[in-house]
Amino acid sequence: MRGLRWKIAGHASALVATVLLGGLLSATLVRLAPGFDADERELDPHLSAESVQALRDARHKSHNVFRFYLSYMKRAMTGDLGTSLALGQPVRTLLRDRAPLTLRLLAIGLALAWLLTLTLALSAARLRLSVYDTLTTAVSGTFLCIPAAVLALLSVLWNAPGALAIALIVFPHTYRYARNLLVKAYSRPHIITARAKGLGEARILFWHVVPVVTPQLLAVAGVSVSMAVGAAIPVEALCGLAGIGQLAWQAALARDLPLLVNITVLVTLVTLLANSSADVIGHVVRGQEV
Amino acid sequence: MRRHKRGFEQMTNTCGKAIAVAMLCLGFLLGHALAQGGGELRFCLRTEPKTFDPLKVEDDASAAIRYLTGGVLVRVNRQTQGLEPGLAVSWKVSKDGRQISFRLRSGVLFSDGTPFSAEDVAYTVQQLMDPALHSPTGDAFRSGVGNVETNVISPTQIAITFPAQVAGLDRLFDQVAILSGRSSKKEMAVLGPFTVADYKPGASVLLKRNPNYWKTDEQGRKLPYLDSIRLDIQPNRDVELLRFKRGELDLINSLDSEYFDKLAATSPQLVHDAGASLDSEQLWFNEVAKSPIPAYKKNWFRSANFRRAISEAINRDDLSRVVFHGHAQPAVGPFSPANKFWFNSKLGPQPYSSDAALKALQDEGFRMENGTLKDKDGNEVVFSIITNSGNKYRERMAVLIQDDLQKIGIHVNVVTLDFPSLIERMTQTFDYEAIILGLTNVDLDPNGEMNVWLSSSENHQWNPQQKAPETAWEAEIDRLMRAQASSSDPKKRKEAFDRVQEIVVEQEPFIFLINKNALSAVSAAVRGAAPVILSPQTFWNAERLTVAAK
Amino acid sequence: MSLWQKLACVILTLVLCGSVAANWLAPAGYAKQYREATDAPPSRAHWLGTDEMGRDRFARVLYGTRISLLLAPAAALLSTLMAALIGGLAGYWGGIWARMAMAVTDLFLSLPWLFLLITARALMPLNVSPLVSVMVTFMLLGLLGWTTAARVLCTTAASLLGSDFVRQARAAGLPGQRLFWIHVVPNLKPVLYAQFWISIPVFILSEANLGILGLGVAEPMPSWGSLLKELEGLVSIGEEPWKFVPLILLVVVVTSFQVLLSKQEEMAA
């Protein structure tokens, strides 16, 4: 029991360290990228030289990445996540107001994507008909080839929910992996033996196929969370959904360091939790030590 | 029998009174509904508003909200371009241009019921002129070192004195929304036709009628007619158009030219082309001495003959026709002809001739070799044009110019960059060769562009922050701009700025390309709309608009 | 070869020949601007009409095929190899190595690489040749696109270590390297094929999106990605179905690739 607690503590510490490292790396990337010191307000001809200089001086405060990040972490411990440079509002308020919509969008989008993935992949792997396989390949290939912005626009055009656009962006990626893994699982010798011995399809699926593919499918599922997060940016921006994806795009364009660091920390946390959970469950299914 | 008759009479009287009262109420309500009940107007903001404080407005979305909610002392009528009384019934600018006196309306209340007086004007001006504010609105008034003095003569009279002359002083107050010095609601207590009722970050802003708005129409009915305005935040123009076509939006304030034609094909009555706007698009070369570009390229760019030749090689008619579908005018000079007073009408259209351009370059020592132009030292004439990504019109103009210049052997690389990277190159590292950008929301008065034309300024974009003018013509422009800024005689100011325009056309530091037309779309349900070229094109008279019930 | 595979072969051959013969099939080239006929519908002179600058769309599709068909698979191959190395080795070694590799992978998935790409553009000269620009773009995409598959490969490789045949091979004294290349890698092929196949259209689309950062194909050179960006004017192109041809072509080519690869996938399974 004590050993388990140490293990959990170890994993949790590694998680926290990775998240914090992610925030620092993100701040470094943003800081070093060109345009960090630039502010389009400087181009306003009405502004005096003093005002332009004041704009530049305000940016200089976050020049030293390490100092900025240390002070950010200190304030974050008291719940102060800083103020957005672009929107002039507390980052905490911005994230708190927008997170529920994004989480809902992602949850429904991922659920739909996996429903579609597993339905088509299972049927393709089970039926092994070349016509059906080519058809499902063509369908998933079509959605893979349509730009995410176009799918988002289509959802606006057809009054479809944004979650459907996310599902259609994620599904082609997960489908191919799932299909290949399931085909491989179904072609294993013990499956052929089980069939020959008259075992029912449901039993074969749940007792012999699922345990084999679950760890890899969970890995794909973990990664699909990141795909969905990435898809949320164009979908929210085009569908007019005030979520974190829309905020992330505004922050990137404005080089809004406080907002970008917080969003990266959040995304890293979500990604790590998703992937770590997938890993843990995968280990359990395989009967291995976590 | 008599008792029954009396009872019946009483009952009839009571009923009659009740009916009369009911009809009076109904009449009142109906009258009220007819007078108000203008419906809800819906349109989009392209970006999130950054502030509701009218003194800190720096972006278009916040400016739109300020226009709709702010009460101003004087208003530039967007249709006639003339100045009209607002909260001030009259005003007077002193001969030296340093002082302006206002006589204010009496009996006006802020949206929260707080009375409006000259004290509020004084409070607003003091806030505006706070050196720590750093806002474009406030900086427009800064003409010299020293404090601004406000003298409250009476609750309806105030005099404001500036340390130095401010050109076009009265018109600048069109941008100054008066704040209450006493209200606890601060900037949310307004004097304009609408108030901010709800704000959903990232989604929408809802404005509701200000019940205390002071203005009435010619029949004495209170304005605004509209009950509310809903502003959805939607950066994507395709989605905006789709929603307009579906009837979810009532107007598109700035319509893309390609959508104009598509909409006009099916519903010509919905689209409006108000003609050339004040906005311009231009190309300029990097003339900064300390820029990291090769010295031979600096020599090209700093040559007026080279710039003129490039200008002559660009087919502006094609830019207007191909990129803007005919909804733009080839630019003549720094100011659009739509600026009736300030535009120098003596300036003629920019010439276009590839042959003449090539001849001019050959006179400068350039020569053609196997279809490639080379300078006198044998360097191939190759340069890059950068512009901001996401602006498809600028990207297309760059590609057309690339094709035009290819005809005279010049190879152009078109590079689109994200805006912050572009600004950094333009204003800090000076690591660029040529840029296509534009000027939008241009002031009618050239004083608004002082920081563009003065050689020492930040926004003197081709070669900013010169310690002393590096060329004689820039020195002359400096002198002329200062002269017009310090004169209160409109005729003298116009003469000076006319000469500035002539110098700019001769020297081509900016190669002005086109002036876009002001395009908009207004749904059939909206009554009273009269789109104009000045911003905000379609809702400049929002207080008189109504939306018919669907 | 099945009928589908033969059909896929024919399609891919036609597309390849079309792109090679672009100079003869579309002699005017991809850059010529027919300014009197902008945004024109299909006609005898312009089989797929013209774009907003009067350039022949058919020519641009043909020439764009060269860039996209050559470079996108190359970038996909790069990302697949990186995924195989990082994910496969991490899963094979297991323990702390796997944990560290996966933590790095998760970081890669979370970081805003947009800023690295912006920095990459800033480091390149403004007058870089379009070919160099697009090659750098696809190389960067390849270097950043391995993360999804790496995660799956790590898990797959880890699962394989517990399988009977691997245990038997170890018990028989097979050295680690041989075990990895002979017994582990072949079983990773289903995931590797999936990664490769998915990456091609993803990179083609990403190249177009990177145009906003100054990367990708520079004007006037076309690519499928830049042609597909026309679809973003979806609202107004409903009446212009010929603008969907680049999308249809991409779907057909990607599906054809997949049908051809399915034989390898079958054998890998």
Side-chain angles (χ1 to χ4, degrees):
Chain A
M1 192 63 181
R2 214 168 144 201
L4 183 65
R5 271 195 220 139
W6 274 114
K7 265 204 178 120
I8 291 171
H11 282 298
S13 312
L15 200 121
V16 168
T18 310
V19 167
L20 292 177
L21 181 63
L24 178 62
L25 287 174
S26 158
T28 310
L29 277 173
V30 175
R31 171 64 192 90
L32 294 178
F36 178 74
D37 279 333
D39 191 325
E40 67 175 280
R41 290 176 292 176
E42 290 179 27
L43 301 184
D44 190 333
H46 299 104
L47 281 180
S48 64
E50 291 78 19
S51 298
V52 171
Q53 193 54 47
L55 283 173
R56 290 182 181 165
D57 291 342
R59 289 266 182 197
H60 283 163
K61 283 182 197 158
S62 34
H63 254 211
N64 186 314
V65 171
F66 295 103
R67 206 177 292 155
F68 163 80
Y69 199 62
L70 268 167
S71 106
Y72 158 73
M73 284 203 293
K74 255 190 243 171
R75 281 182 281 114
M77 294 217 250
T78 60
D80 174 13
L81 301 180
T83 305
S84 160
L85 295 174
L87 300 171
Q89 294 171 47
V91 172
R92 187 180 153 156
T93 312
L94 286 169
L95 292 179
R96 186 197 60 209
D97 291 344
R98 291 165 184 251
L101 186 145
T102 300
L103 287 172
R104 207 166 39 243
L105 196 71
L106 293 179
I108 300 172
L110 280 168
L112 282 173
W114 276 99
L115 184 65
L116 209 50
T117 295
L118 291 174
T119 308
L120 289 181
L122 262 171
S123 51
R126 180 66 198 91
L127 294 172
R128 303 301 299 274
L129 291 170
S130 66
V131 173
Y132 186 77
D133 210 24
T134 307
L135 192 65
T136 51
T137 300
V139 165
S140 66
T142 302
F143 285 109
L144 200 60
C145 297
I146 299 177
V150 173
L151 281 171
L153 280 171
L154 281 171
S155 74
V156 174
L157 193 66
W158 294 330
N159 273 328
L164 182 61
I166 290 193
L168 293 175
I169 294 168
V170 171
F171 138 75
H173 297 259
T174 52
Y175 166 74
R176 204 70 217 167
Y177 287 113
R179 180 244 176 230
N180 287 3
L181 289 168
L182 284 166
V183 163
K184 185 172 166 56
Y186 266 104
S187 357
R188 286 194 167 198
H190 70 281
I191 302 291
I192 299 167
T193 309
R195 263 210 197 99
K197 287 194 170 177
L199 223 59
E201 283 307 320
R203 208 175 150 91
I204 289 174
L205 174 65
F206 289 107
W207 281 57
H208 298 285
V209 173
V210 166
V212 167
V213 297
T214 297
Q216 288 102 299
L217 279 183
L218 283 171
V220 177
V223 174
S224 69
V225 172
S226 307
M227 289 179 206
V229 168
I233 295 174
V235 169
E236 285 181 9
L238 289 165
C239 297
L241 300 168
I244 292 183
Q246 191 196 73
L247 200 62
W249 186 240
Q250 286 175 331
L253 290 177
R255 307 288 198 273
D256 190 337
L257 189 58
L259 198 47
L260 280 166
V261 165
N262 279 288
I263 290 175
T264 306
V265 164
L266 190 63
V267 169
T268 310
L269 190 62
V270 167
T271 305
L272 280 172
L273 282 174
N275 289 327
S276 301
S277 310
D279 286 344
V280 165
I281 300 171
H283 276 109
V284 167
V285 167
R286 279 201 300 269
Q288 290 176 346
E289 264 198 23
V290 173
Chain B
M1 189 73 172
R2 205 178 286 172
R3 212 170 11 172
H4 287 303
K5 193 176 171 189
R6 210 180 301 136
F8 181 72
E9 277 172 1
Q10 271 176 349
M11 194 178 75
T12 317
N13 278 340
T14 311
C15 280
K17 279 179 193 165
I19 289 168
V21 166
M23 286 190 72
L24 266 170
C25 289
L26 193 65
F28 173 75
L29 283 169
L30 197 61
H32 191 76
L34 283 171
Q36 311 296 302
E40 180 175 83
L41 184 72
R42 300 154 307 166
F43 60 95
C44 289
L45 297 173
R46 295 262 159 83
T47 56
E48 187 97 28
K50 291 189 179 158
T51 180
F52 292 117
D53 184 344
L55 302 185
K56 293 181 184 165
V57 165
E58 291 169 327
D59 58 294
D60 289 346
S62 306
I65 293 171
R66 178 178 66 184
Y67 185 89
L68 292 166
T69 60
V72 295
L73 298 176
V74 295
R75 178 61 89 198
V76 170
N77 183 306
R78 273 25 181 197
Q79 197 167 46
T80 63
Q81 299 184 12
L83 215 49
E84 288 176 347
L87 290 164
V89 295
S90 65
W91 61 94
K92 189 170 177 229
V93 180
S94 64
K95 276 210 176 87
D96 63 359
R98 287 180 56 213
Q99 189 187 74
I100 184 165
S101 311
F102 292 101
R103 187 177 284 279
L104 308 172
R105 285 178 202 280
S106 56
V108 177
L109 300 174
F110 281 88
S111 53
D112 67 342
T114 321
F116 159 69
S117 74
E119 294 285 349
D120 299 307
V121 177
Y123 169 77
T124 303
V125 170
Q126 291 304 332
Q127 293 295 304
L128 187 66
M129 302 314 298
D130 182 351
L133 187 65
H134 298 301
S135 88
T137 314
D139 284 358
F141 286 92
R142 286 187 211 288
S143 54
V145 177
N147 292 330
V148 174
E149 285 166 20
T150 51
N151 180 16
V152 176
I153 301 162
S154 75
T156 56
Q157 277 182 282
I158 183 168
I160 307 166
T161 310
F162 293 85
Q165 177 173 22
V166 180
L169 179 55
D170 46 1
R171 296 182 83 92
L172 291 176
F173 280 91
D174 172 81
Q175 303 292 306
V176 181
I178 304 299
L179 298 177
S180 171
R182 279 165 289 176
S183 169
S184 56
K185 289 192 173 178
K186 297 192 193 291
E187 68 266 12
M188 302 311 274
V190 298
L191 289 162
F194 299 94
T195 65
V196 177
D198 188 34
Y199 169 48
K200 291 191 174 70
S204 63
V205 180
L206 179 66
L207 306 179
K208 286 217 155 123
R209 179 193 297 122
N210 175 4
N212 292 333
Y213 187 46
W214 57 270
K215 215 189 240 189
T216 57
D217 65 10
E218 295 71 26
Q219 283 78 43
R221 281 179 298 179
K222 277 186 80 75
L223 293 174
Y225 298 139
L226 289 168
D227 298 314
S228 56
I229 298 180
R230 199 186 74 220
L231 306 163
D232 289 338
I233 296 163
Q234 179 50 262
N236 187 278
R237 293 181 191 213
D238 292 290
V239 175
E240 188 185 28
L241 178 71
L242 176 68
R243 293 185 63 201
F244 178 81
K245 279 178 161 179
R246 289 212 286 235
E248 292 168 21
L249 298 175
D250 297 306
L251 53 90
I252 300 178
N253 194 47
S254 171
L255 185 61
D256 281 0
S257 50
E258 59 190 335
Y259 297 153
F260 182 97
D261 289 339
K262 289 191 158 89
L263 208 49
T266 51
S267 317
Q269 72 282 9
L270 301 184
V271 295
H272 301 267
D273 182 346
S277 68
L278 302 180
D279 298 348
S280 63
E281 298 288 324
Q282 58 262 22
L283 164 80
W284 72 88
F285 290 100
N286 184 355
E287 296 182 47
V288 176
K290 62 180 179 186
S291 69
I293 61 176
Y296 65 89
K297 290 194 182 182
K298 284 186 211 176
N299 291 337
W300 302 340
F301 302 153
R302 289 164 83 91
S303 155
N305 288 332
F306 179 85
R307 297 193 299 268
R308 273 194 288 270
I310 299 294
S311 176
E312 204 167 6
I314 294 172
N315 190 334
R316 288 172 176 75
D317 285 332
D318 276 359
L319 291 181
S320 161
R321 194 170 49 79
V322 173
V323 177
F324 294 93
H325 302 258
H327 299 292
Q329 317 297 323
V332 172
F335 263 25
S336 161
N339 193 337
K340 298 183 178 71
F341 181 73
W342 292 103
F343 171 66
N344 185 343
S345 51
K346 288 195 218 121
L347 296 173
Q350 297 264 17
Y352 164 61
S353 168
S354 299
D355 294 334
L358 187 58
K359 172 96 183 33
L361 287 166
Q362 283 166 340
D363 292 342
E364 276 283 289
F366 292 85
R367 64 186 188 280
M368 276 288 252
E369 252 181 54
N370 300 322
T372 303
L373 194 72
K374 292 185 178 176
D375 69 6
K376 53 183 186 290
D377 297 321
N379 299 303
E380 285 185 8
V381 182
V382 177
F383 60 83
S384 57
I385 295 178
I386 63 174
T387 191
N388 57 307
S389 56
N391 188 316
K392 57 189 169 192
Y393 299 110
R394 287 187 191 145
E395 292 174 25
R396 288 172 192 171
M397 281 197 289
V399 174
L400 255 70
I401 291 171
Q402 180 187 48
D403 192 65
D404 284 341
L405 296 182
Q406 188 62 52
K407 291 177 189 145
I408 57 170
I410 295 177
H411 183 74
V412 169
N413 292 309
V414 175
V415 183
T416 53
L417 297 173
D418 64 299
F419 212 28
S421 300
L422 183 137
I423 294 171
E424 188 181 81
R425 284 178 185 266
M426 197 173 103
T427 62
Q428 293 173 34
T429 63
F430 305 112
D431 186 12
Y432 73 95
E433 291 168 343
I435 289 188
I436 291 179
L437 272 184
L439 284 169
T440 57
N441 292 332
V442 175
D443 285 355
L444 284 167
D445 193 311
N447 219 51
E449 290 187 11
M450 273 302 261
N451 285 333
V452 174
W453 301 115
L454 286 182
S455 59
S456 55
S457 291
E458 292 283 338
N459 278 300
H460 190 72
Q461 276 143 359
W462 65 91
N463 190 0
Q465 295 179 290
Q466 297 174 39
K467 288 193 171 53
E470 288 182 13
T471 59
W473 58 270
E474 282 172 296
E476 178 63 3
I477 289 180
D478 283 358
R479 188 189 68 75
L480 290 164
M481 286 304 291
R482 290 198 174 100
Q484 66 81 31
S486 57
S487 168
S488 49
D489 179 356
K491 198 164 159 240
K492 286 204 171 97
R493 291 188 67 208
K494 172 126 171 82
E495 270 172 25
F497 193 67
D498 273 357
R499 184 67 195 122
V500 168
Q501 293 177 71
E502 283 161 18
I503 295 171
V504 168
V505 169
E506 279 161 22
Q507 301 294 331
E508 302 268 22
F510 282 143
I511 296 174
F512 286 96
L513 300 171
I514 53 97
N515 297 117
K516 291 182 291 193
N517 283 11
L519 305 176
S520 54
V522 181
S523 93
V526 177
R527 307 265 185 269
V532 295
I533 61 166
L534 292 185
S535 177
Q537 288 106 291
T538 49
F539 58 91
W540 62 275
N541 60 341
E543 58 201 18
R544 290 179 185 268
L545 298 178
T546 56
V547 177
K550 294 180 180 60
Chain C
M1 247 192 199
S2 73
L3 180 65
W4 290 112
Q5 285 169 334
K6 284 180 189 160
L7 187 61
C9 242
V10 167
I11 289 170
L12 288 174
T13 309
L14 277 171
V15 170
L16 198 64
C17 291
S19 74
V20 166
N23 294 21
W24 295 280
L25 290 171
Y30 56 80
K32 179 156 171 62
Q33 297 173 3
Y34 297 90
R35 295 187 185 181
E36 303 307 319
T38 56
D39 221 10
S43 62
R44 201 176 288 180
H46 308 289
W47 294 353
L48 289 177
T50 59
D51 68 5
E52 64 282 344
M53 271 169 288
R55 299 176 297 193
D56 185 79
R57 192 173 282 109
F58 178 66
R60 290 180 70 74
V61 167
L62 285 181
Y63 282 94
T65 306
R66 291 179 181 178
I67 298 281
S68 301
L69 265 195
L70 186 65
L71 293 176
L77 190 61
L78 175 62
S79 72
T80 306
L81 287 173
M82 287 190 63
L85 270 171
I86 296 170
L89 281 173
Y92 178 68
W93 286 331
I96 187 86
W97 295 109
R99 277 209 287 274
M100 274 172 56
M102 290 306 101
V104 167
T105 307
D106 289 339
L107 271 179
F108 253 77
L109 281 167
S110 316
L111 291 178
W113 291 113
L114 178 76
F115 297 100
L116 176 72
L117 296 169
I118 292 172
T119 307
R121 185 53 189 100
L123 295 172
M124 285 181 354
L126 286 175
N127 287 306
V128 70
S129 88
L131 195 59
V132 169
S133 168
V134 76
M135 281 173 65
V136 167
T137 304
F138 277 108
M139 190 184 70
L140 285 169
L141 288 172
L143 288 171
L144 295 173
W146 52 269
T147 44
T148 306
R151 262 223 150 255
V152 181
L153 285 165
C154 183
T155 311
T156 310
S159 308
L160 285 168
L161 292 181
S163 57
D164 292 339
F165 68 94
V166 169
R167 282 189 187 152
Q168 280 173 3
R170 265 218 180 100
L174 207 62
Q177 228 183 18
R178 265 177 82 82
L179 186 68
F180 180 73
W181 289 109
I182 293 174
H183 293 285
V184 174
V185 168
N187 286 288
L188 299 179
K189 279 185 187 171
V191 178
L192 291 172
Y193 281 123
Q195 159 73 4
F196 180 74
W197 180 79
I198 289 169
S199 298
I200 295 173
V202 166
F203 288 164
I204 287 172
L205 294 176
S206 303
E207 173 271 313
N209 289 332
L210 291 181
I212 66 164
L213 306 178
L215 288 166
V217 162
E219 287 282 3
M221 195 180 276
S223 68
W224 279 0
S226 60
L227 291 167
L228 284 169
K229 277 193 92 63
E230 278 191 310
L231 294 181
E232 288 178 19
L234 193 72
V235 167
S236 51
I237 67 167
E239 300 100 39
E240 297 164 318
W242 51 90
K243 290 189 181 178
F244 287 94
V245 167
L247 173 65
I248 296 167
L249 188 60
L250 179 62
V251 171
V252 164
V253 166
V254 164
T255 308
S256 301
F257 260 127
Q258 183 46 44
V259 167
L260 273 183
L261 280 174
S262 63
K263 187 73 184 162
Q264 266 60 45
E265 284 180 332
E266 296 269 345
M267 285 164 60

